Amino acid sequence: MNKTELLNKFSKDSEERVVLARVLDQMERAQRRAIPCPTQFLSPAQRSAAEPLLAACGHPRHLFAGGYEGAERTICVFLPDWQEVENYDAGEELCAIEAVFPPNTELSHRDILGGLMGIGLTREKVGDILVLEGKAQIVALKETGPIILSQFDQAGRYRLKLREIPLSQLSPAPVQVKVVHDTVATLRLDAVLASGFSIARGKAAGLISGGRVSVNHRECVKADKTVAEGDVLTCRGLGKCVVKTVGGQSRKGRIIIEIERYV
């Protein structure tokens, strides 16, 4: 399939189509020039859309990187045939900036992101923002680092002190999960969502039809969609859970499942 046919097959959304077209451009550039070619930062939904597209392209040599293991926003780096994924350092494309707040100051993720947008950066230039005690750590494209260091001196009403740090010094908060062992009558999305978030099935169905639920970072409004092991379910206002295992049947003929809910 040519580029237009691929985009027609894998995306119906105009904004997503633009993102996927840029991904294909970088893939072709890496193959044509025989050099590593990174995309800008992709959201989880954009990455989820890009992965089947890359599979249809024959799994070109590439890797996703966000500065640390488990990063939410990532770039996709396409590599030439001569370069092995294992030998590539994503630090070639990324940097980390630490912004220290004044004492007794509380700044949120929104405050930091708003300040970055205020100096003219687009969301695609910035990766995860880790808000810690008294400071924030910002992952960004390498080319964006000097702009942040020279221009990002304030968030909200507060002045910031900035310095570049190695990616190895990023300090993401440990993931905390609650393990839910349950049985469901069916693997329908509304049933599994209700189990994962301990809500009534009717309420789960309403959240789904209201466009608040995503499966593997793609919005889903079909309550009868079949959920599989490994699927990531997110719901605005409730959070995220992962279907870790789908087992056999209980004595009452219900399906045994294990879910990890992020808390």
Side-chain angles (χ1 to χ4, degrees):
M1 287 186 287
N2 60 33
K3 182 176 180 180
T4 300
E5 291 171 335
L6 282 169
L7 293 174
N8 288 340
K9 179 177 180 180
F10 288 97
S11 181
K12 306 300 181 184
D13 179 83
S14 59
E15 292 185 8
E16 184 179 85
R17 185 184 178 94
V18 171
V19 172
L20 295 183
R22 291 172 178 167
V23 170
L24 290 177
D25 287 343
Q26 291 302 89
M27 180 190 74
E28 294 170 354
R29 183 167 175 261
Q31 295 170 344
R32 184 175 64 254
R33 299 185 60 184
I35 59 172
C37 292
T39 67
Q40 298 186 92
F41 280 99
L42 305 173
S43 69
Q46 291 166 343
R47 174 173 173 173
S48 182
E51 288 176 330
L53 175 67
L54 298 182
C57 292
H59 296 283
R61 189 167 297 183
H62 68 283
L63 68 134
F64 289 96
Y68 64 95
E69 186 71 26
E72 184 172 87
R73 297 180 62 84
T74 57
I75 62 171
C76 181
V77 185
F78 292 99
L79 301 177
D81 292 339
W82 55 266
Q83 190 157 26
E84 296 295 333
V85 172
E86 296 78 9
N87 297 330
Y88 184 76
D89 179 11
E92 296 291 327
E93 316 295 345
L94 303 175
C95 68
I97 308 295
E98 188 169 84
V100 178
F101 318 148
N104 303 316
T105 297
E106 291 187 7
L107 290 175
S108 67
H109 183 282
R110 179 179 293 183
D111 294 326
I112 300 299
L113 181 59
L116 292 169
M117 302 298 103
I119 63 173
L121 296 180
T122 60
R123 193 64 182 98
E124 295 78 15
K125 300 289 187 181
V126 180
D128 285 1
I129 299 171
L130 308 176
V131 180
L132 310 169
E133 185 70 31
K135 62 184 178 182
Q137 295 177 334
I138 304 158
V139 184
L141 297 177
K142 198 86 166 182
E143 66 200 49
T144 306
I147 299 173
I148 296 175
L149 288 169
S150 63
Q151 298 184 35
F152 182 51
D153 59 358
Q154 184 170 335
R157 298 180 290 107
Y158 302 103
R159 308 291 292 185
L160 305 172
K161 293 182 179 180
L162 304 181
R163 68 183 181 113
E164 185 169 359
I165 62 173
L167 293 175
S168 60
Q169 289 186 17
L170 289 169
S171 304
V175 175
Q176 295 184 337
V177 298
K178 175 183 178 181
V179 179
V180 177
H181 297 278
D182 201 359
T183 62
V184 290
T186 171
L187 289 175
R188 283 173 49 120
L189 176 57
D190 55 355
V192 178
L193 190 77
S195 176
F197 291 109
S198 302
I199 58 177
R201 186 168 172 179
K203 181 177 180 179
L207 293 170
I208 295 166
S209 62
R212 294 175 60 180
V213 175
S214 296
V215 179
N216 297 326
H217 310 294
R218 309 298 296 277
E219 182 181 301
C220 181
V221 295
K222 296 181 179 180
D224 62 351
K225 176 180 174 61
T226 300
V227 174
E229 188 173 295
D231 281 351
V232 179
L233 313 181
T234 52
C235 179
R236 292 199 304 274
L238 293 180
K240 178 173 74 171
C241 62
V242 180
V243 182
K244 295 300 293 183
T245 61
V246 175
Q249 291 188 340
S250 68
R251 293 179 180 179
K252 295 183 179 181
R254 294 171 62 87
I255 302 169
I256 301 170
I257 59 173
E258 178 184 277
I259 297 175
E260 286 187 350
R261 177 181 174 183
Y262 287 68
V263 296

